[in-house]
Amino acid sequence: MRYRVLPRGGEKIGEIGLGLGAVTPNSDVFKILSYALEKDINFFDLCGAYDFIYPHIKTTLAKNRSKVFTQMHLGAVYKNGAYAFSRNLNTVKDTFLRILDTTGLEYTDFGFLHCIDEEKDLNYVLEKGIFNLAEDLKRQGIIRHLGFSTHTPVIAEKLINLGMFDLFMFSINAAFDFKKGDYAIGDYAQRENLYRLAQSKGVAISAMKPFAGGQLLNAKLSPIGIALTPLQCISYVLERPAVITLVAGATKVSDIDDYMRYFTAAPDELDYSVLGSAISQDANGRCLYCNHCSPCPKKINVGLVNKYYDLSVLGDPLAKEHYLNLEHHAGECNNCGHCDKRCPFKVEQIKKMHEIAEYFGV
């Protein structure tokens, strides 16, 4: 496992997290959670498809409370044992406290305003008591950090700009980012600007739907017309600015093994530049930080140089310092053309290197 640091709080969160929305009545939840802990997964989204999962959390995660981080949603409720959705303040509060008691967790690290996708939802949650409930639970120490979940970039931007949230859950994958498939809300530029805004404000993202509900893994179902491997999907998501963890679902322990291969995979297994052939028209001229142009003869990390530049232009005060601390800078470019020839997204990287060198002064 590799870990990333929460900007507002300093907690070290594993890059691969686990969500419980994929479990079925046939899933061995105790075994899945126990195995996840063995593999050093320490971040868990507790919005389950069924409420039978919660007693199993008491016998697994609660026994390792100081080592794990949990994400709970104010608005996820249950009817006849299955997931449902509510904005009723009493129902939301009662369900949250009941689940907290059933799991034995005592508190949740992240308390989320659940699934705010439309303006009317945003206004209702902020004005009709649910947000006040979250703040009150935070004052009591029952919630450690405030967060929210959404599929809509505009809503995310508004909540980020309120300055009260430390983490949010957002659907990220190569299909959605290029306006293909369900929940593909906003075009590429809008979604990328959201990720950069979040990073500039110190608000982290826990990424959901990394495989687009499994569609990206099947060429016949894929919204982009080609199949990606789980490792390519994971690599793509974890390269997006502000992402601190990827929350993947598991119905069996072998799913966890598939995800954990990310940390030992060869670079070519993580290379998602095949996207260039599937979404080239949408991505032309935009660096996706895939580093397919590597290795640079001058040892410039072209993807990282582009990322720090993009973040700095957006206003991230730390991006310039991160750039300056790199071993090699854009100003070292010798115009060899290696990167321009290899870029699957047709970025004129030589031109970008000179632009970036002038911007940072090195």
Side-chain angles (χ1 to χ4, degrees):
M1 180 62 71
R2 288 196 298 264
Y3 300 90
R4 298 184 178 185
V5 177
L6 185 74
R8 299 181 181 180
E11 292 91 336
K12 293 182 178 179
I13 293 174
E15 291 183 338
I16 302 293
L18 187 70
L20 299 176
V23 299
T24 71
N26 296 322
S27 300
D28 189 334
V29 178
F30 177 84
K31 188 174 182 179
I32 290 170
L33 291 174
S34 298
Y35 193 66
L37 292 170
E38 287 179 27
K39 293 298 181 179
D40 294 324
I41 291 175
N42 72 348
F43 187 90
F44 298 85
D45 178 69
L46 304 188
C47 183
Y50 302 92
D51 66 0
F52 79 88
I53 65 174
Y54 295 115
H56 295 295
I57 290 171
K58 190 169 188 175
T59 56
T60 52
L61 304 190
K63 287 188 175 181
N64 295 270
R65 189 66 189 91
S66 63
K67 300 178 181 179
V68 301
F69 301 100
T70 61
Q71 189 173 267
M72 291 177 62
H73 298 244
L74 291 159
V77 300
Y78 293 85
K79 293 182 179 179
N80 300 319
Y83 166 81
F85 181 94
S86 179
R87 294 284 191 225
N88 179 278
L89 181 60
N90 290 332
T91 302
V92 168
K93 180 179 180 179
D94 291 347
T95 302
F96 180 88
L97 294 177
R98 175 179 63 82
I99 291 174
L100 200 63
D101 181 63
T102 302
T103 59
L105 290 170
E106 299 183 353
Y107 66 91
T108 186
D109 301 275
F110 302 94
F112 272 26
L113 306 180
H114 182 58
C115 199
I116 306 175
D117 283 348
E118 298 180 351
E119 195 80 29
K120 64 179 182 180
D121 286 330
L122 176 62
N123 294 335
Y124 190 92
V125 168
L126 293 180
E127 297 171 5
K128 300 297 183 180
I130 295 177
F131 178 60
N132 291 339
L133 169 64
E135 287 189 305
D136 186 51
L137 292 170
K138 186 173 186 291
R139 282 190 291 269
Q140 295 176 51
I142 296 173
I143 288 174
R144 299 291 173 87
H145 297 274
L146 294 179
F148 62 89
S149 63
T150 184
H151 300 95
T152 309
V154 172
I155 297 295
E157 288 177 10
K158 289 185 176 184
L159 286 166
I160 288 170
N161 286 326
L162 289 178
M164 302 165 120
F165 301 96
D166 301 333
L167 178 73
F168 72 101
M169 199 174 198
F170 191 71
S171 51
I172 302 179
N173 59 61
F176 293 176
D177 277 353
F178 289 93
K179 209 169 178 58
K180 301 179 189 298
D182 296 337
Y183 302 112
I185 302 170
D187 60 23
Y188 174 81
Q190 186 178 28
R191 293 171 71 89
E192 278 291 311
N193 285 340
L194 169 62
Y195 309 150
R196 294 169 188 160
L197 173 67
Q199 185 152 328
S200 72
K201 298 284 189 179
V203 181
I205 301 173
S206 56
M208 59 178 164
K209 299 182 173 65
F211 314 119
Q215 289 183 323
L216 276 175
L217 309 180
N218 186 320
K220 293 182 179 179
L221 300 177
S222 172
I224 61 174
I226 61 171
L228 299 178
T229 68
L231 296 180
Q232 288 172 316
C233 292
I234 291 171
S235 181
Y236 175 86
V237 173
L238 289 176
E239 282 288 348
R240 299 310 96 202
V243 171
I244 195 169
T245 189
L246 174 151
V247 181
T251 59
K252 53 190 183 300
V253 296
S254 60
D255 292 334
I256 296 173
D257 286 329
D258 290 341
Y259 308 150
M260 296 301 292
R261 283 192 59 242
Y262 171 77
F263 300 109
T264 56
D268 63 332
E269 293 181 277
L270 304 178
D271 183 355
Y272 54 84
S273 60
V274 65
L275 290 173
S277 64
I279 55 178
S280 58
Q281 188 172 10
D282 297 312
N284 276 353
R286 299 171 175 141
C287 180
L288 268 66
Y289 322 130
C290 71
N291 273 327
H292 189 68
C293 55
S294 298
C296 168
K298 302 299 290 185
K299 299 183 179 180
I300 301 169
N301 186 325
V302 175
L304 205 51
V305 164
N306 272 278
K307 181 182 283 190
Y308 289 149
Y309 172 67
D310 290 341
L311 289 168
S312 184
V313 168
L314 193 68
D316 185 342
L318 301 179
K320 181 176 182 179
E321 192 64 27
H322 291 321
Y323 173 83
L324 294 176
N325 283 332
L326 291 173
E327 186 176 358
H328 298 280
H329 301 96
E332 299 172 48
C333 175
N334 66 353
N335 304 323
C336 72
H338 176 81
C339 51
D340 280 5
K341 293 175 184 176
R342 286 182 55 81
C343 181
F345 306 106
K346 299 180 173 60
V347 179
E348 296 180 3
Q349 291 288 8
I350 292 177
K351 183 177 179 181
K352 285 294 295 288
M353 290 302 103
H354 291 301
E355 179 183 323
I356 292 169
E358 182 177 358
Y359 177 86
F360 287 117
V362 60

